[in-house]
Amino acid sequence: KVITTEVNFYMDYTETLVHHINGYTGLITNTTLDRVVLQNGEHTLREVVEHPGGVTVIPIDDEGYVYCVRQYRYPMSEHLLEVPAGKLEYGEEPLQCAMRELSEETGISASEYHDLGKVYPSPGFCREILYIYLARGLKFGTQHLDENEFLDVEKIHIDELVKLVMDNELTDAKTVIAVHKAKNILSI
């Protein structure tokens, strides 16, 4: 079906859970295999990854430089350039998590945090919600990484990050989104 922008309604294709077939409980995520019934009455299976959610924060100084981190990401077998980010702890507010992660990973604190919204990184199978913040008024301190966390901090101008995104050299989704959102709201 083609839906034009003039139409202000959508069809309800809600899928209804029949039962959970099995599950896995992990250190960060839980996984279920669900049998659901579709709008047409047919049954199908859906794999769902439950994730506590996370934050990403893009710290930008007055000259337009962003403080990124480079770390090895085991699932991708690559060292990736990213903006600071982390997993929400149980009951933690997203802004508090953003402040904590920025301080832990870079040693930076900020006098201003701007909410850039939330995204669903991969809603086809994962329930993760990622909250994005822009940090301004940066103050520099000492990095204090979690045990067994290894990363380097890199200072890169926002214009260079946009170029890296457009050249497909920066591929981390949360960083791509944060860079574009920050660039669009700032006149740097």
Side-chain angles (χ1 to χ4, degrees), residues 10 76 118 144:
Y10 63 93
M76 305 313 295
K118 67 182 181 183
H144 47 102

Side-chain angles (χ1 to χ4, degrees), residues 12-18 35-46:
D12 183 359
Y13 298 116
T14 302
E15 299 173 5
T16 305
L17 174 67
V18 176
R35 178 172 298 283
V36 299
V37 63
L38 305 173
Q39 180 193 32
N40 64 1
E42 295 292 322
H43 287 225
T44 193
L45 299 175
R46 297 286 187 233

Side-chain angles (χ1 to χ4, degrees), residues 11-65:
M11 295 297 298
D12 183 359
Y13 298 116
T14 302
E15 299 173 5
T16 305
L17 174 67
V18 176
H19 67 276
H20 297 293
I21 295 174
N22 62 18
Y24 164 78
T25 302
L27 299 174
I28 296 174
T29 62
N30 300 327
T31 305
T32 63
L33 181 62
D34 295 345
R35 178 172 298 283
V36 299
V37 63
L38 305 173
Q39 180 193 32
N40 64 1
E42 295 292 322
H43 287 225
T44 193
L45 299 175
R46 297 286 187 233
E47 290 179 316
V48 179
V49 175
E50 296 173 358
H51 186 283
V55 302
T56 193
V57 56
I58 181 165
I60 303 179
D61 69 17
D62 294 337
E63 288 78 41
Y65 285 93

